[in-house]
């Protein structure tokens, strides 16, 4: 079995934790587990380092994990807290002298062409980021580095969002619904990472109780929650109330998947 690990680079929702200007007990907490950059994970195999999502904290995340090699970026959807850091792939462009492979749906690519129009321009300014887009489709397999990935379609309010299964791990963020067909692709997985925004309901994200229901339905034995806001409460306190096998992820947490 391949040696595979996953590191949580960020576990916060779109504003991160602490939130600018907020003095709540979570934003004021000294516990490093209450400090959450925008959500992203680094998946490392012997041959490839891949990030899922590339939000506004991407540069800081690469530096603090000493990640000096990146082979691909895989995107879940086009919200800025998941793509805003794409300009910062430039150091990797300069090291490899190649465009960065970016795996996403056509819908996401069309948005990137608007948000990062300068990077797709014919007369690119020297030093602009270089992207090498690879289109993926819902519920289909694709290969990144030396791993087979499956894109799993889920719902994010009125938007589609892609979750991913790599070996026995499933990463599903910014979701508030998943079809039975997509759920079938989760069968047999050992680790589920799923977003849970807060305790109160939201139009486009699972509340914690909804994420717990979905996780139980999946029957995946080890569950990590991610992408949550300061209103979820203190990590140390809230962790005690979770069902067995379920944990709040925190920035820097690294899990072995082999
Ligand atoms: Zn998000
Ligand atoms: Zn706060
Ligand atoms: Zn989103």
């Amino acid at each position: 079995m391949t040696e595979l690990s996953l590191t949580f680079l960020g576990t916060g929702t779109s504003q991160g934790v602490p939130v600018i200007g907020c003095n709540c007990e979570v934003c004021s907490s000294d516990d490093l587990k209450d400090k959450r950059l925008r959500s992203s994970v680094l998946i490392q195999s012997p041959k490839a380092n891949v990030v899922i999502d590339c939000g506004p904290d991407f540069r800081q995340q690469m530096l603090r994990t000493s990640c000096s090699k990146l082979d691909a970026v895989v995107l879940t959807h086009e919200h800025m807290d998941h793509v805003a850091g794409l300009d910062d792939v430039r150091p990797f462009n300069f090291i490899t002298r190649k465009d960065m492979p970016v795996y996403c749906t056509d819908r996401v690519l069309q948005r990137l062409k608007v948000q990062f129009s300068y990077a797709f321009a014919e007369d690119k300014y020297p030093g602009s980021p270089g992207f090498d887009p690879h289109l993926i489709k819902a519920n289909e397999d694709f290969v990144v580095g030396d791993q087979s990935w499956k894109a799993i379609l889920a719902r994010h309010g009125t938007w589609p969002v892609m979750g991913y299964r790599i070996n026995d791990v499933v990463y599903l963020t910014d979701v508030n619904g998943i079809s039975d067909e997509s759920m079938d692709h989760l069968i047999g997985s050992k680790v589920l990472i799923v977003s849970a925004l807060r305790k109160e309901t939201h139009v486009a994200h699972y509340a914690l109780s909804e994420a717990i229901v979905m996780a139980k339905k999946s029957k995946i034995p080890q569950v990590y929650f991610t992408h949550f806001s300061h209103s979820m409460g203190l990590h140390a306190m809230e962790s005690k109330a979770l069902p067995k096998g379920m944990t709040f992820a925190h920035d820097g947490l690294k899990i072995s998947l082999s």
Side-chain angles (χ1 to χ4, degrees), residues 147-167:
Q147 302 294 317
S148 177
W149 289 50
K150 182 178 284 292
I152 299 169
L153 176 65
R155 192 177 72 241
H156 182 24
T158 57
W159 285 20
V161 62
M162 289 299 142
Y164 295 103
R165 179 171 179 171
I166 313 105
N167 281 9

Side-chain angles (χ1 to χ4, degrees), residues 162-175:
M162 289 299 142
Y164 295 103
R165 179 171 179 171
I166 313 105
N167 281 9
D168 293 334
V169 64
V170 173
Y171 185 78
L172 208 53
T173 191
D174 293 55
V175 287

Side-chain angles (χ1 to χ4, degrees), residues 21-256:
C22 185
N23 300 314
C24 79
E25 64 171 356
V26 177
C27 291
S28 317
S29 167
D30 291 330
D31 187 348
L32 288 178
K33 291 181 179 174
D34 288 318
K35 304 207 179 297
R36 304 181 184 280
L37 300 181
R38 267 58 71 88
S39 290
S40 173
V41 287
L42 171 65
I43 294 175
Q44 295 175 288
S45 71
K47 285 210 181 134
N49 288 347
V50 181
V51 286
I52 301 181
D53 289 332
C54 188
D57 300 315
F58 172 74
R59 173 180 171 275
Q60 192 182 346
Q61 290 164 333
M62 291 296 96
L63 290 171
R64 80 176 181 181
T65 49
S66 303
C67 183
S68 55
K69 171 181 176 283
L70 187 66
D71 300 284
V73 173
V74 181
L75 299 173
T76 58
H77 67 304
E78 63 270 37
H79 271 149
M80 284 307 260
D81 57 319
H82 299 260
V83 303
L86 279 169
D87 191 82
D88 280 323
V89 302
R90 287 177 297 135
F92 294 112
N93 292 151
F94 300 149
I95 292 167
T96 62
R97 297 175 187 274
K98 283 189 345 194
D99 292 338
M100 176 62 71
V102 176
Y103 292 75
C104 62
T105 60
D106 187 52
R107 173 195 164 100
V108 173
L109 180 60
Q110 297 316 317
R111 290 307 308 164
L112 295 183
K113 285 182 176 174
V114 176
Q115 289 162 342
F116 299 92
S117 57
Y118 59 96
F120 292 92
E122 297 226 337
D123 55 339
K124 266 173 66 165
Y125 182 81
S128 297
F131 306 132
D132 173 19
H134 293 253
L135 288 182
I136 58 171
K137 288 195 176 143
N139 296 340
E140 286 189 6
D141 292 337
F142 58 102
V143 173
V144 186
D146 50 352
Q147 302 294 317
S148 177
W149 289 50
K150 182 178 284 292
I152 299 169
L153 176 65
R155 192 177 72 241
H156 182 24
T158 57
W159 285 20
V161 62
M162 289 299 142
Y164 295 103
R165 179 171 179 171
I166 313 105
N167 281 9
D168 293 334
V169 64
V170 173
Y171 185 78
L172 208 53
T173 191
D174 293 55
V175 287
N176 71 332
I178 180 165
S179 68
D180 288 343
E181 185 198 352
S182 293
M183 279 297 275
D184 284 348
H185 295 304
L186 275 54
I187 292 171
S189 302
K190 292 183 181 145
V191 177
L192 170 66
I193 298 156
V194 61
S195 58
L197 185 72
R198 60 190 187 193
K199 289 172 186 153
E200 302 78 31
T201 55
H202 185 276
V203 290
H205 292 271
Y206 280 142
L208 178 60
S209 58
E210 295 168 329
I212 289 173
V213 168
M214 182 266 158
K216 283 184 175 166
K217 191 177 167 197
S218 77
K219 296 192 166 55
I220 299 174
Q222 184 67 59
V223 178
Y224 295 91
F225 298 113
T226 189
H227 199 287
F228 40 93
S229 85
H230 57 159
S231 64
M232 189 68 93
L234 293 168
H235 186 278
M237 290 286 292
E238 301 299 326
S239 295
K240 293 175 192 161
L242 288 178
K244 197 167 172 284
M246 299 190 187
T247 311
F248 287 119
H250 59 86
D251 287 23
L253 176 66
K254 184 173 183 177
I255 54 179
S256 171

